[in-house]
Amino acid sequence: MLVGLLCATVSGTALAEDTTVHHWSSSGNVTVVDRFPDVQPSGIARLPDGRIVLSLPTSAQNHKGPVLVTWTPGHLAAFPSVAAQGKIISPLGMTVDGNGQLWLLDEGVKAGSTAKAKPALLHIDPKSGTIVRRYALEAPAVLPDSHVNDVRIDLTHGSAGTAFISDTSQTTHPALLVVDLASGQARRILADTVSVSPVPGFVMEADGRLGRYDAAHPTVPQGGVDGIALSADSTRLYWSPLSSRRLYSAPTAVLADKDATEATLEAAVKDEGEVGIMDGMLTAPDGSLYVTDIERHAVVRRAPDGTLSLVAQDARLIAPDSMTFDGASILLTVGQWARLPVFHNGKDVQERPYSLMRIAPLAPAPKP
């Protein structure tokens, strides 16, 4: 009987009633708000006065013009000033603290340069348009293969606050960095532990290509701790390695304690479960986390109880990068990191222009 049923099946061209992945092409709430022919935005932040700041890194590819800008549709203006551009090498992750101050990570290296990297954390006052302080990130907090990636500012610990920084690592030494903003002292914590490290043998899909984690010969973006976020009340720090699908957290009181032993730090880490392969992470006032999802070309919401839901999905989200709230919507930079020459035997397969996207509303409309 089974054989007869199998023989009765029909082969041939696709039919309208064939089963598909429904609505994969777009959730219907993603729009392109601007395009950039020559520069690729990575970090993004919204200042208290509504200005949108974009970082235009130079570590992967050089470009002309400013490296840190304010954005309005069709126009990029040097920020905080034209003169300040000479003090910034390759800006990447950034955040706005509870006092409205901008904090920016500078990778400290340009593409093609043989000079030693000079990573730093910059404090910028948006009102005066000045760089208030530059915190040099030096050994032993950073290593020769460090790659400072993203930053969050906790104003509840330390007399001037505490910065938490993800060091994704260019090779095999990821860690979290903790900077006391009063003294400038930086510490390296949880280095090479499970919660910050790539999963051995990890396989991911990026831009339609499968690649296995390989520190010596990368074929897709890979590395350790990347996305990072504070809880709404600053009591917990969340993070996730790039070559992983798991989310981790720990109390900021423990992470900020300079006297905490490594054993104490490791014991404080909580495995929050799988979320997907993320780059950027954003905290909402209600305590939920919005995370980018590279494999799904999507943005996912993780509710305070851990429930996951799809916020947006679109084929144009090639490698969703950094996010910021802009009113009732999210502005999102889109990376083409998987198309860089390093992953394609030296061939650049990026497709210009680069895009800035908006997600509104923050949940896709119900489908019939």
Side-chain angles (χ1 to χ4, degrees):
M1 178 64 72
L2 178 60
V3 172
L5 288 174
L6 290 174
C7 291
T9 60
V10 177
S11 62
T13 58
L15 302 177
E17 62 268 27
D18 286 347
T19 298
T20 64
V21 179
H22 298 292
H23 319 302
W24 164 259
S25 60
S26 178
S27 54
N29 59 344
V30 181
T31 57
V32 177
V33 294
D34 214 340
R35 297 176 174 87
F36 312 99
D38 302 313
V39 295
Q40 180 171 358
S42 178
I44 185 170
R46 186 181 188 274
L47 301 177
D49 61 10
R51 286 180 293 171
I52 301 298
V53 181
L54 299 175
S55 66
L56 311 176
T58 60
S59 57
Q61 53 197 2
N62 286 313
H63 58 80
K64 297 180 180 179
V67 294
L68 188 65
V69 298
T70 52
W71 167 80
T72 52
H75 183 66
L76 300 176
F79 176 85
S81 65
V82 173
Q85 302 303 306
K87 301 177 181 179
I88 308 171
I89 301 174
S90 181
L92 199 59
M94 66 177 112
T95 189
V96 176
D97 70 19
N99 293 329
Q101 299 292 286
L102 183 73
W103 297 84
L104 173 72
L105 274 182
D106 187 344
E107 298 175 276
V109 64
K110 286 189 176 184
S113 173
T114 58
K116 180 182 177 181
K118 298 179 179 179
L121 174 65
L122 276 61
H123 172 196
I124 299 175
D125 178 16
K127 288 186 176 180
S128 64
T130 59
I131 298 177
V132 178
R133 184 172 176 180
R134 181 182 185 275
Y135 297 79
L137 300 174
E138 301 173 329
V142 297
L143 305 179
D145 66 346
S146 284
H147 174 218
V148 294
N149 200 321
D150 210 351
V151 59
R152 292 296 182 266
I153 303 298
D154 170 19
L155 296 177
T156 67
H157 294 96
S159 60
T162 301
F164 296 107
I165 297 170
S166 58
D167 180 354
T168 305
S169 180
Q170 297 177 30
T171 56
T172 58
H173 301 100
L176 288 174
L177 307 183
V178 182
V179 183
D180 177 76
L181 297 177
S183 66
Q185 181 181 5
R187 296 181 291 118
R188 187 176 186 84
I189 65 170
L190 298 173
D192 307 325
T193 59
V194 170
S195 72
V196 301
S197 297
V199 175
F202 186 77
V203 174
M204 70 176 288
E205 180 272 328
D207 197 26
R209 298 169 65 241
L210 285 176
R212 187 182 300 279
Y213 174 78
D214 185 337
H217 304 286
T219 56
V220 292
Q222 61 182 38
V225 55
D226 187 343
I228 188 171
L230 280 171
S231 61
D233 60 4
S234 293
T235 60
R236 296 193 75 82
L237 183 75
Y238 294 88
W239 68 89
S240 179
L242 180 57
S243 296
S244 170
R245 294 183 179 87
R246 305 200 76 81
L247 179 71
Y248 298 91
S249 75
T252 51
V254 177
L255 299 178
D257 183 0
K258 62 181 178 59
D259 296 321
T261 65
E262 187 64 24
T264 299
L265 292 167
E266 291 185 38
V269 174
K270 179 183 179 181
D271 185 335
E272 299 280 358
E274 289 197 2
V275 289
I277 301 175
M278 75 169 70
D279 192 337
M281 196 173 348
L282 180 65
T283 307
D286 68 356
S288 57
L289 297 176
Y290 287 79
V291 302
T292 62
D293 189 320
I294 295 174
E295 288 189 306
R296 294 183 180 89
H297 306 278
V299 172
V300 172
R301 178 180 180 266
R302 181 185 183 275
D305 65 0
T307 302
L308 302 176
S309 59
L310 190 69
V311 174
Q313 186 173 48
D314 195 289
R316 295 169 295 181
L317 301 183
I318 301 165
D321 194 344
S322 300
M323 300 173 286
T324 190
F325 288 111
D326 185 36
S329 68
I330 285 177
L331 285 173
L332 169 68
T333 61
V334 175
Q336 293 194 31
W337 312 118
R339 298 178 176 182
L340 291 173
V342 66
F343 305 118
H344 296 272
N345 297 315
K347 182 180 179 181
D348 185 357
V349 297
Q350 296 177 95
E351 298 178 15
R352 279 73 169 180
Y354 303 105
S355 301
L356 179 65
M357 318 293 278
R358 187 182 298 277
I359 300 172
L362 296 183
K367 299 291 183 179

